[in-house]
């Protein structure tokens, strides 16, 4: 049996060589082997054509001719073996949807409620897809995004509806009641928030002269080639500010806890300012451990007590409710100023534009922002009542009388 089997298999010959999958990243070791084989072939047979060299290397190493061509080309240009990119960055839908986009999705959900309809996932998906200002998103990812926004998928009577979690609704109602009370008492309200500006922030569209075909053409005609595009987002400036109907509050300083990037002297000073006795011989990890222990105490409880002692009250917004913070409108104006005037994409210049943009937001603009926010507060206050009424109506539609008589047990249970 063994002999006949070997005779049968002898006619088939060796199995074909399988090449790597298309699109698969070629490792650094394999790229080095390609370059070394290329050097050996050139040294032994200098007259061999490049096409034959590529075919020979591709056959031996089981990779495509195109890959061999690209590796050798890069080696000739840089005289180094190109290192492959290990990861291919693919943006998640969570990266595409910033706070403003998330709030736009929330508004779409509430607009369905205002029409006194049940906001199912299909209805929300149609509304979000029709909004050109929002990034494209699949129905499945939209469902996950709604969960991130603290909506819950609840089944009520005949329909499934997207409603906000009970704790978010309670938080939202408490905030609206408290800020309304503060206004009725005539208290001065300040709004605090942080944002960021990238060095590469600029307008997405600009006017371009279509008659200019190249840099040489522009030089000969004495014209410019238009705005230079940034190479990327660049470095980022983090901004923290506070403002009221009188405008941004000047000279604001926030006591931030030091991080691992802070200098040792700064960490020691921060700890000593908090009344801690610090041994100078301690290393940075030990100091940061002390900072970690003290940070919650000073950022949560002490600040609140200090404000309370000075007749100030802290109202914290629910997550993803930046529509209720007028400083977001101020940030939008500031960032627009940076985008419209950013031509160098250098961080110091962007910082100066940022300061200019902040100074441009005067008290009159702040009053308009706060007036707009009050209208949004009224909508949020009303939406909870609308949701209750719509869901109650849905439940009431299911009630029907079967007979003219009811048992005592049914009467007792209904009264309960």
């Amino acid at each position: 049996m063994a002999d006949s089997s070997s005779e049968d298999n002898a006619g088939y010959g060796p199995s074909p060589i399988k090449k790597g999958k298309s699109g698969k990243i070629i490792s650094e070791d394999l790229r080095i082997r390609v370059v070394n084989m290329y050097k050996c072939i050139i040294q032994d047979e200098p007259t061999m054509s490049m096409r034959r060299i590529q075919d020979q290397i591709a056959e031996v190493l089981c990779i495509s001719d195109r890959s061999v061509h690209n590796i050798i080309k890069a080696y000739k240009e840089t005289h180094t073996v190109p290192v492959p990119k290990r990861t291919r960055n693919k943006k998640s839908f969570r990266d595409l949807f910033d706070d403003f986009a998330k709030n736009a999705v929330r508004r779409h959900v509430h607009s369905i409620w205002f029409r006194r309809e049940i906001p199912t996932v299909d209805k929300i998906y149609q509304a979000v897809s029709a909004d050109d200002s929002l990034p494209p998103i699949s129905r499945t990812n939209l469902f996950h995004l709604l969960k991130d926004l603290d909506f819950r998928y609840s089944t009520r009577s005949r329909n499934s509806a997207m409603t906000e979690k009970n704790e978010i609704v309670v938080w939202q109602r408490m905030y609206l009641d408290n800020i309304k009370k503060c206004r009725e008492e005539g208290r001065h309200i300040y709004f605090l928030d942080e944002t960021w500006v990238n060095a590469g922030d600029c307008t997405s569209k600009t006017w371009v002269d279509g008659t200019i075909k190249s840099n040489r053409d522009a030089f000969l005609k004495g014209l410019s080639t238009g705005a230079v595009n940034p190479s990327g987002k660049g470095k980022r400036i983090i901004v923290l500010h506070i403002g009221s109907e009188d405008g941004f509050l000047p000279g604001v300083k926030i006591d931030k806890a030091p991080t691992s990037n802070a200098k040792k002297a700064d960490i020691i000073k921060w700890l000593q300012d908090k009344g801690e006795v610090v041994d100078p011989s301690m290393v940075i990890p030990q100091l940061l451990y002390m900072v970690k222990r003290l940070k919650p105490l000073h950022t949560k409880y002490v600040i609140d007590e200090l404000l309370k002692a000075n007749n100030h009250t802290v109202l914290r917004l629910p997550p993803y409710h930046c529509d209720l913070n007028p400083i977001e409108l101020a940030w939008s104006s500031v960032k627009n100023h940076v985008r419209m005037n950013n031509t160098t994409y250098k961080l110091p210049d962007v910082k100066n534009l940022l300061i200019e943009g902040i100074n441009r937001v005067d008290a009159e603009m702040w009053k308009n922002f706060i007036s707009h926010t009050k209208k949004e507060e009224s909508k949020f206050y009303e939406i909870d009542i609308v949701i209750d009424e719509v869901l109650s109506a849905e439940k009431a539609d299911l009630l029907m009388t079967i007979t003219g008589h009811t048992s005592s047990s049914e009467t007792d249970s209904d009264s309960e």
Side-chain angles (χ1 to χ4, degrees), residues 60 66 91 93 101 157 169 184 354:
V60 172
R66 187 67 181 173
K91 286 190 175 182
F93 69 92
S157 68
V169 175
E184 291 173 349
L354 181 64

Side-chain angles (χ1 to χ4, degrees), residues 19-23 26 30 34 54-55 57-59 61-71:
K19 292 189 176 182
K21 293 182 179 179
S22 177
I26 299 176
L30 188 55
V34 170
Q54 292 176 11
D55 292 342
I57 296 175
E59 183 178 356
L61 299 181
C62 302
I63 57 177
S64 67
D65 301 347
R66 187 67 181 173
S67 297
V68 175
H69 170 78
N70 291 336
I71 294 171

Side-chain angles (χ1 to χ4, degrees), residues 210-224:
T211 63
I212 302 299
K213 304 301 181 184
S214 63
N215 292 336
R216 176 176 173 78
D217 185 26
F219 175 77
L220 294 175
K221 293 179 180 180
L223 302 174
S224 68

Side-chain angles (χ1 to χ4, degrees), residues 99-146:
D99 288 345
F100 288 100
K102 290 175 181 177
N103 275 279
V105 173
R106 185 185 297 277
R107 286 196 298 271
H108 282 301
V109 177
H110 286 185
S111 66
I112 298 173
W113 280 117
F114 276 124
R115 296 199 303 265
R116 296 188 174 273
E117 299 177 6
I118 298 292
T120 61
V121 178
D122 289 331
K123 289 181 181 178
I124 301 170
Y125 179 67
Q126 289 176 2
V128 171
S129 300
D131 191 342
D132 295 332
S133 65
L134 294 176
I137 187 172
S138 67
R139 185 183 182 279
T140 302
N141 286 340
L142 176 62
F143 181 85
H144 294 307
L145 180 63
L146 291 169

Side-chain angles (χ1 to χ4, degrees), residues 234-251:
K235 294 183 178 180
R236 174 180 291 184
I237 298 177
I238 306 296
V239 190
L240 180 65
H241 219 318
I242 187 172
S244 68
E245 61 182 8
D246 295 332
F248 278 110
L249 188 65

